[in-house]
Amino acid sequence: MTDKNIDRLKLNSVSKKLPKHLHKFIVRQPYEEYTAQNHAVWRYVMKLNIDFLPKVAHDNYLTGVSETGISIDSIPEMEGINRILKDIGWAAVSVDGFIPPNAFMEFQAYNVLVIASDMRTIDHITYTPAPDIIHESAGHAPLIANPEYAEYLRRFGEIGSKAISSAKDYEMYEAVRIVSILKENPNAKEKDINEAVSYLNYLQNNMGELSEMAQIRNLHWWTVEYGLIGDIENPKIYGAGLLSSIGESKECLNKEIKKRIYSIEAANVNFDITKPQPQLFVTTSFAKLNYVLEKFANSMALRKGGLTGVKKLIASKAIGTIQLSTGIQISGVFTNVINVEDEVVYFQTTGKSALASSNRELIGHGTNYHSEGFGSPVGKLEGINLAIEDMSPKDLEAYDIYEGKNTSLLFEGGLLVEGKIITGKRNLRGKIILISFENCTVSYKSQILFKPEWGAYDMAIGKEIVSAYSGPASSDSFDDIFQVSSNKTQKINYSDSELELHSLYQKVRILRESKTSDLALLETVFIDLKSNHSNDWLLPLEIYELIENQECELKEKVFEYLSNLKSNKYFEKLISDGLKLILKESTIV
């Protein structure tokens, strides 16, 4: 998506701070494509939620719905949500279904809530495997009004976006995305759904050792999506997946669903997005969530660096960054590391690479200059206890490290750099972070790593790798950090009969919004409904709600019709719940 298109989306002061590489995921909310039936599904789910969830959800849920401007009667417009979220320091953007986990987390790090613009169909009214606007706006948004929880989300995004993925993680993301798209599309072929689910199950059973991203996604799932809070014997719901599912929000509190005390062990517990969860984790407080998050972060390459961190980046086959002890940052696709006794002595990227300091690209050291990769030694010089980064100008001169000098630098571990020093760079604290050579040869034993004919050689300075993480140090260095999936959410092709049904929903919706109950029109709609759309259960509920407090023959006919529909086991609970709510509201009025 171009910046011109982004401007037309009316982003608020928060979302305008998003880096450009995230813009490609933002889409315009297709509000005009929501059918009247879509709005009725939203209304049914929200009315049941508002009636039931205050009894079982976190205390902030109901006030959060009000504070974030979530409408009960119709699907909310993104612009309206944004206007209200801005007051609590957040924003929302519309996206097409699932987006890559690192991208999702990065949005969150910028206080931006990602909202899938699709709306679940009536066939998946109680639960959908696909992210939709009910899940995102009615599930996630209300709890953001709680400052402690909002900070947890932001901090989670900040840390999670740096988690290193494995090559299999992207396969898993695409497989989940495809399954969610197919399952939510009523036009999808059963054969295609079964094949997609089968492949997803195969991946889930053959992931091998969990990557950092797989682990942090587990933490996200068992907290942000499916978390419970409070007393383990009588917990409350705060996870958006539960808050947005009128089926699971009730089922999850049953004794049959195992409840476990939330801890860092949840990082190793996988989940199946296509099924109800057999277990849930209960945190004592939102503060506990932050404690576990920080504990997990301490185990990540982000904070540990070293050989393990570089190996994780190599395995990911994606753009990542290492930071040396001087603060210099090297970003690219890491392909090789030489180590001696588990200590890194040399690392190598292949393809476009960039150097940065304090997350800002070093002038002259972007991907155009380092278009074929970057490699450098790490560590101290052989026989010299003082690292180059800690040397004073006199020390540097004493060890033949100064401009114009032909020098030979032998590093611990046996890596040798020979050439003429032409320049150097220092950071704001005065530490030397980069030395450039001409006529330079870099070798390790009999292996030549850099030849003089390749041009100037830039050597990063640092005695150790202190951090390794996913993505670039400077977001301006690379254009294609994330890929937008080629598997797009499929637009539903409605039949003529379905379009006629939607027109009936629209007639009833107009009456409700105008606060009128034209009995003659409702009678006509009801007759058409019975004759041509006998499997629809929600529209007769909508009609009954409009006339429940009136004494009329139509009311009795609709009630009898609904009672007969309840013979269908799938409809029975949906209709019963709807009727109970209508009668309860009528009594209150």
Side-chain angles (χ1 to χ4, degrees):
M1 178 169 286
T2 65
D3 291 340
K4 186 176 180 181
N5 287 333
I6 287 291
D7 289 340
R8 292 206 303 268
L9 292 179
K10 299 179 182 178
L11 302 182
N12 70 14
S13 57
V14 178
S15 51
K16 283 181 179 178
K17 296 176 183 177
L18 287 169
K20 290 182 180 179
H21 64 263
L22 293 178
H23 288 183
K24 68 182 78 173
F25 295 107
I26 303 174
V27 300
R28 181 177 294 282
Q29 183 188 18
Y31 201 84
E32 67 284 352
E33 294 179 15
Y34 297 138
T35 67
Q37 187 186 63
N38 288 152
H39 285 283
V41 167
W42 167 276
R43 187 166 177 270
Y44 177 88
V45 172
M46 287 303 298
K47 286 172 76 67
L48 285 183
N49 280 351
I50 295 302
D51 177 67
F52 174 71
L53 289 178
K55 307 180 189 78
V56 298
H58 186 275
D59 293 343
N60 281 130
Y61 176 77
L62 201 57
T63 55
V65 169
S66 175
E67 289 180 27
T68 50
I70 304 299
S71 167
I72 305 300
D73 286 321
S74 58
I75 300 170
E77 294 188 64
M78 204 63 60
E79 286 80 1
I81 294 176
N82 257 322
R83 279 194 300 271
I84 296 170
L85 284 180
K86 183 179 70 172
D87 294 336
I88 56 176
W90 278 72
V93 295
S94 183
V95 298
D96 176 30
F98 284 111
I99 64 174
N102 289 92
F104 177 88
M105 303 277 186
E106 193 171 357
F107 272 105
Q108 208 164 279
Y110 281 90
N111 284 25
V112 175
L113 183 65
V114 173
I115 295 181
S117 57
D118 298 301
M119 177 65 194
R120 70 187 62 179
T121 59
I122 191 170
D123 293 334
H124 293 131
I125 195 167
T126 59
Y127 170 79
T128 173
D132 77 332
I133 196 164
I134 291 181
H135 172 83
E136 309 289 4
S137 60
H140 285 294
L143 267 296
I144 289 179
N146 179 294
E148 189 174 26
Y149 183 70
E151 176 57 18
Y152 170 69
L153 284 185
R154 186 200 67 77
R155 187 71 179 133
F156 199 107
E158 202 170 60
I159 293 171
S161 63
K162 302 295 185 184
I164 301 172
S165 301
S166 70
K168 287 185 177 180
D169 286 332
Y170 193 79
E171 287 184 68
M172 176 63 77
Y173 153 68
E174 281 288 355
V176 168
R177 180 177 168 85
I178 290 170
V179 167
S180 69
I181 290 171
L182 289 174
K183 280 204 164 190
E184 187 53 42
N185 184 0
N187 304 131
K189 297 177 181 177
E190 194 67 29
K191 176 176 175 289
D192 293 338
I193 294 174
N194 291 337
E195 287 179 356
V197 170
S198 177
Y199 182 60
L200 175 59
N201 289 335
Y202 168 78
L203 286 179
Q204 287 176 329
N205 295 326
N206 293 275
M207 288 297 288
E209 184 178 352
L210 295 180
S211 68
E212 289 181 352
M213 177 50 72
Q215 289 180 305
I216 207 160
R217 281 182 67 235
N218 285 343
L219 291 181
H220 192 270
W221 182 264
W222 299 122
T223 61
V224 176
E225 297 294 351
Y226 275 77
L228 300 176
I229 189 169
D231 180 4
I232 196 166
E233 298 299 328
N234 187 31
K236 294 291 186 76
I237 299 170
Y238 72 92
L242 297 173
L243 292 174
S244 61
S245 171
I246 56 177
E248 283 199 284
S249 62
K250 292 184 179 180
E251 295 296 326
C252 73
L253 298 176
N254 290 343
K255 298 295 182 183
E256 291 75 22
I257 306 298
K258 185 178 179 181
K259 312 297 190 301
R260 297 174 58 179
I261 295 174
Y262 181 64
S263 70
I264 197 170
E265 294 304 315
N268 297 314
V269 180
N270 293 330
F271 57 89
D272 186 343
I273 196 169
T274 66
K275 300 175 182 177
Q277 306 310 308
Q279 59 175 15
L280 296 170
F281 288 86
V282 182
T283 183
T284 53
S285 65
F286 290 146
K288 175 73 175 292
L289 299 183
N290 280 298
Y291 169 78
V292 171
L293 176 61
E294 288 299 320
K295 190 173 182 180
F296 181 79
N298 287 337
S299 72
M300 292 170 61
L302 172 67
R303 295 185 180 176
K304 301 190 82 169
L307 176 62
T308 301
V310 181
K311 285 185 173 180
K312 286 180 178 180
L313 287 177
I314 292 172
S316 75
K317 300 180 181 179
I319 295 171
T321 296
I322 63 171
Q323 181 171 317
L324 305 187
S325 47
T326 56
I328 190 169
Q329 299 158 313
I330 300 91
S331 301
V333 178
F334 287 80
T335 53
N336 186 33
V337 62
I338 299 173
N339 71 94
V340 176
E341 296 180 353
D342 292 334
E343 294 293 332
V344 176
V345 297
Y346 184 83
F347 63 84
Q348 177 74 51
T349 66
T350 299
K352 291 184 176 183
S353 304
L355 308 184
S357 181
S358 299
N359 300 325
R360 291 188 177 184
E361 184 176 290
L362 295 180
I363 296 173
H365 289 279
T367 57
N368 289 334
Y369 182 68
H370 297 290
S371 60
E372 297 183 4
F374 183 87
S376 180
V378 180
K380 296 179 181 178
L381 297 174
E382 183 70 39
I384 301 173
N385 193 43
L386 194 64
I388 293 175
E389 64 198 73
D390 297 323
M391 291 181 180
S392 68
K394 284 186 178 181
D395 294 325
L396 292 169
E397 186 174 354
Y399 293 114
D400 293 335
I401 306 173
Y402 56 88
E403 290 183 15
K405 179 66 177 177
N406 282 298
T407 191
S408 179
L409 303 176
L410 179 63
F411 286 80
E412 290 178 344
L415 193 129
L416 181 63
V417 178
E418 299 174 289
K420 182 180 180 180
I421 298 175
I422 53 177
T423 188
K425 282 184 181 289
R426 294 181 181 272
N427 62 20
L428 294 176
R429 294 174 294 165
K431 278 197 172 187
I432 189 164
I433 60 173
L434 191 71
I435 297 176
S436 299
F437 299 79
E438 62 181 9
N439 298 321
C440 186
T441 299
V442 181
S443 59
Y444 176 70
K445 298 181 179 179
S446 60
Q447 183 182 4
I448 302 300
L449 301 169
F450 192 90
K451 298 177 181 180
E453 56 265 33
W454 292 352
Y457 176 69
D458 300 295
M459 183 177 77
I461 303 300
K463 56 191 173 188
E464 61 181 335
I465 297 172
V466 298
S467 181
Y469 54 88
S470 176
S474 170
S475 61
D476 295 328
S477 295
F478 296 84
D479 294 326
D480 298 319
I481 301 172
F482 302 118
Q483 293 181 340
V484 176
S485 177
S486 59
N487 296 299
K488 304 299 182 186
T489 299
Q490 298 167 0
K491 188 174 180 179
I492 298 174
N493 295 316
Y494 293 110
S495 65
D496 290 342
S497 175
E498 288 169 325
L499 291 174
E500 289 170 5
L501 175 61
H502 296 167
S503 70
L504 297 181
Y505 270 94
Q506 181 63 15
K507 290 176 181 178
V508 175
R509 183 183 177 205
I510 291 171
L511 288 179
R512 186 180 64 252
E513 290 180 346
S514 63
K515 297 182 179 180
T516 59
S517 54
D518 184 330
L519 291 178
L521 177 57
L522 288 174
E523 179 89 43
T524 302
V525 169
F526 181 59
I527 292 171
D528 194 338
L529 179 71
K530 285 198 303 178
S531 301
N532 302 309
H533 311 284
S534 58
N535 282 326
D536 187 89
W537 58 272
L538 183 54
L539 186 55
L541 268 178
E542 292 258 302
I543 295 172
Y544 188 77
E545 182 181 6
L546 283 178
I547 57 177
E548 198 284 324
N549 59 0
Q550 298 186 40
E551 293 299 328
C552 60
E553 186 179 351
L554 178 60
K555 174 182 169 181
E556 295 176 4
K557 290 180 181 178
V558 175
F559 186 84
E560 182 182 0
Y561 182 72
L562 285 167
S563 299
N564 291 333
L565 277 178
K566 284 165 63 176
S567 61
N568 183 316
K569 287 187 177 180
Y570 177 75
F571 296 158
E572 182 180 9
K573 182 169 175 51
L574 294 168
I575 294 172
S576 294
D577 286 347
L579 285 173
K580 284 178 186 176
L581 190 58
I582 292 169
L583 294 171
K584 180 179 179 181
E585 289 177 342
S586 176
T587 302
I588 292 172
V589 172

